[in-house]
């Protein structure tokens, strides 16, 4: 499956969401555990709905952690 086709899916396993976002599985699991990213459970296996994933991605910082813009 190509990266473009991957973005058209309605939901993702944790592993596929990590691949689609170029993030690690641990990062995704930590976001779910903290409540920042919603996982849904149609059965015992969690999935991430496309819209929930997009909302989480849009909520992430736009600057590197620890970086602050200071006027010179």
């Amino acid at each position: 499956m190509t990266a473009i086709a991957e973005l058209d899916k309605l939901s993702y396993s944790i592993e596929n969401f990590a691949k689609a976002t170029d993030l690690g599985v641990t990062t995704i699991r930590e976001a779910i555990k903290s409540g920042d990213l919603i996982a849904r459970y149609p059965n015992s296996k969690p999935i991430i709905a496309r819209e929930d994933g997009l909302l989480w991605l849009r909520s992430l910082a736009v600057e590197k952690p620890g970086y602050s813009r200071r006027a010179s």
Side-chain angles (χ1 to χ4, degrees), residues 38-66:
I38 297 170
R40 299 179 186 275
Y41 294 85
N43 50 42
S44 62
K45 183 179 175 183
I47 61 170
I48 299 165
R50 184 176 187 271
E51 289 303 316
D52 293 331
L54 289 172
L55 284 171
W56 177 72
L57 288 169
R58 290 182 183 124
S59 75
L60 298 176
V62 295
E63 293 182 349
K64 185 177 177 179

Side-chain angles (χ1 to χ4, degrees), residues 9 22 28 33 36 40 57 62 68:
K9 292 175 67 171
D22 204 24
I28 303 306
K33 186 176 179 180
D36 293 334
R40 299 179 186 275
L57 288 169
V62 295
S68 65

